[in-house]
Amino acid sequence: AQKITQTQPGMFVQEKEAVTLDCTYDTSDPSYGLFWYKQPSSGEMIFLIYQGSYDQQNATEGRYSLNFQKARKSANLVISASQLGDSAMYFCAMLDNTDKLIFGTGTRLQVFP
Amino acid sequence: EAGVAQSPRYKIIEKRQSVAFWCNPISGHATLYWYQQILGQGPKLLIQFQNNGVVDDSQLPKDRFSAERLKGVDSTLKIQPAKLEDSAVYLCASSLSLDTQYFGPGTRLTVL
């Protein structure tokens, strides 16, 4: 069965530092997509970054980058230069070949001054 | 470009009452999804529409939940009758097929 695992319930990082949020996945499909979403306390899920299973290079979007290690089935999110506004829940998700998005349990990130 | 719209943002009802949520997807997005997110968990797909047809409703509790997408645009999700365990955030998302899903702000339902 397809599954997303986020082992860090919570993370703390000081402002302007970098932080890595872990995500591992399990699938037997050769074609899949990996996503990271941010969910602030307001509740909306905000799309951050996408990595396709056939993409050769790691995805980057501004301060967000995805450390994709296919052999290890990991897709960690790296946030550089953390800001106070980055404090939120972060969800890793996988899109399978039936267009179904499967989410992990999330990591709560808190950025302190 | 306008995002996914949902209403209401918050709803409080008593158990056994009925409730309905509305979603307007991003213009041109053929695929629409309803998710249920219980506190402390990731979202769980309830139902997926492609235009006005149902693609997947395998996790929709059909004895009490129903959803429709008339004319392939707006969608409504209804719960009747509500139970305490239905307290959750209900998220609507839309996408071009097999593409990034964009979410609305969600409806936070509290069942007393």
Side-chain angles (χ1 to χ4, degrees):
Chain A
Q2 290 157 329
K3 188 178 179 182
I4 292 283
T5 302
Q6 295 181 255
T7 58
Q8 305 156 315
M11 291 284 286
F12 288 89
V13 66
Q14 190 167 29
E15 201 177 5
K16 299 179 185 177
E17 297 295 310
V19 63
T20 298
L21 306 183
D22 294 343
C23 172
T24 58
Y25 60 93
D26 189 18
T27 182
S28 56
D29 292 327
S31 179
Y32 51 88
L34 296 160
F35 297 79
W36 278 92
Y37 285 88
K38 172 184 178 182
Q39 188 175 43
S41 56
S42 59
E44 183 175 358
M45 298 285 281
I46 301 168
F47 165 69
L48 295 178
I49 195 167
Y50 165 80
Q51 180 85 41
S53 58
Y54 294 114
D55 293 344
Q56 296 295 312
Q57 293 191 329
N58 288 342
T60 60
E61 289 286 349
R63 295 186 299 110
Y64 304 108
S65 60
L66 200 151
N67 184 1
F68 181 46
Q69 298 188 42
K70 197 170 182 177
R72 298 179 62 184
K73 293 189 175 180
S74 74
N76 299 339
L77 177 70
V78 180
I79 305 175
S80 62
S82 297
Q83 302 172 356
L84 296 177
D86 293 335
S87 294
M89 283 291 290
Y90 288 80
F91 289 93
C92 180
M94 177 170 62
L95 188 72
D96 67 14
N97 59 6
T98 66
D99 203 19
K100 184 178 291 185
L101 199 58
I102 301 164
F103 286 85
T105 52
T107 296
R108 180 171 297 281
L109 176 67
Q110 296 196 51
V111 182
F112 60 93
Chain B
E1 180 182 86
V4 177
Q6 287 187 251
S7 67
R9 290 297 312 278
Y10 304 92
K11 189 73 177 179
I12 301 173
I13 61 173
E14 295 189 350
K15 61 183 179 183
R16 291 189 289 274
Q17 285 187 321
S18 63
V19 64
F21 313 128
W22 173 83
C23 173
N24 180 248
I26 293 173
S27 177
H29 280 193
T31 311
L32 185 147
Y33 314 80
W34 283 102
Y35 289 86
Q36 180 191 59
Q37 186 178 19
I38 293 172
L39 187 65
Q41 300 180 15
K44 182 187 81 172
L45 180 69
L46 292 175
I47 190 167
Q48 175 185 342
F49 292 95
Q50 178 77 17
N51 295 309
N52 59 351
V54 175
V55 174
D56 185 349
D57 63 357
S58 58
Q59 298 193 85
L60 186 74
K62 299 180 186 64
D63 58 333
R64 298 184 300 107
F65 286 65
S66 64
E68 60 181 7
R69 189 182 185 196
L70 298 175
K71 299 181 182 178
V73 183
D74 292 6
S75 177
T76 56
L77 177 69
K78 297 179 182 177
I79 308 174
Q80 183 178 9
K83 293 185 175 181
L84 296 177
E85 58 261 37
D86 298 332
S87 293
V89 175
Y90 291 85
L91 294 162
C92 179
S94 71
S95 74
L96 298 170
S97 187
L98 293 178
D99 202 341
T100 302
Q101 295 183 23
Y102 294 93
F103 286 78
T107 297
R108 188 178 299 273
L109 174 67
T110 302
V111 182
L112 303 175

